[in-house]
Amino acid sequence: MTGLTPNGSVGPVVLQTLYDVTLVLCCLYAFIAGGRTEKLGSLLTLTASIVSVLIWYRPLEWRAVHWNMFAVDLVTFLLATWLAIRSDRFWPMWFAGFCLVGVMTHLAVAAMPNFASMAYSLSQGFWAYPAMLALVIGTWTHRRGMRGYGLSAS
């Protein structure tokens, strides 16, 4: 089993496994090495991903707006925005911005029902990666900054 579909593309199981591994590694790093903001960001990312899995009921159907997923993405964006406003870090603004793109994708599908289902499905999964990257970079810069002052990174 190669993980590829008959047409040679990567299958959904491979993509889900890649996402799960990336999620766990990013959140674990942020929780262990980050400060309060990074810990909250990792908790938000992990919670949103778990809730998304729990409420998902139509696998591989991207022909209409998934309002339940929209609700998760909207709440995640609002909490990420709150984190950005309350934090003295720069990365949460990027994180919230990436979450906003996910919310806007749902609204684009609502406004344009003929929006290609493949574009909808890919855009939803894609924006989680730069959000996690922002979390990792934020954790790394926080840790580096704390070491520069000779302080603990927690």
Side-chain angles (χ1 to χ4, degrees):
M1 184 167 148
T2 64
L4 299 177
T5 62
N7 68 2
S9 64
V10 176
V13 173
V14 173
L15 293 176
Q16 185 63 51
T17 302
L18 176 65
Y19 178 80
D20 292 343
V21 169
T22 303
L23 173 71
V24 169
L25 291 176
C26 290
C27 290
L28 191 61
Y29 174 64
F31 199 80
I32 290 171
R36 183 174 185 270
T37 302
E38 291 75 26
K39 285 176 175 50
L40 288 172
S42 70
L43 184 62
L44 176 59
T45 303
L46 192 58
T47 302
S49 293
I50 290 169
V51 170
S52 295
V53 168
L54 293 176
I55 65 168
W56 183 246
Y57 62 94
R58 292 185 289 180
L60 302 178
E61 287 186 27
W62 292 95
R63 292 179 183 86
V65 176
H66 294 280
W67 293 108
N68 54 351
M69 298 298 284
F70 170 76
V72 172
D73 289 347
L74 181 61
V75 169
T76 303
F77 164 68
L78 294 173
L79 290 172
T81 300
W82 174 84
L83 186 63
I85 291 169
R86 302 287 299 183
S87 174
D88 61 351
R89 313 276 204 296
F90 188 68
W91 73 265
M93 288 185 277
W94 285 95
F95 184 85
F98 294 130
C99 292
L100 178 60
V101 175
V103 169
M104 295 308 292
T105 302
H106 291 291
L107 296 177
V109 171
M112 300 178 300
N114 294 329
F115 192 72
S117 63
M118 181 61 80
Y120 185 28
S121 68
L122 292 176
S123 66
Q124 282 303 294
F126 172 78
W127 292 105
Y129 290 98
M132 286 188 280
L133 180 63
L135 176 62
V136 167
I137 290 171
T139 302
W140 180 75
T141 57
H142 169 71
R143 192 162 179 79
R144 188 183 69 183
M146 296 303 286
R147 271 196 229 131
Y149 289 107
L151 301 172
S152 165
S154 55

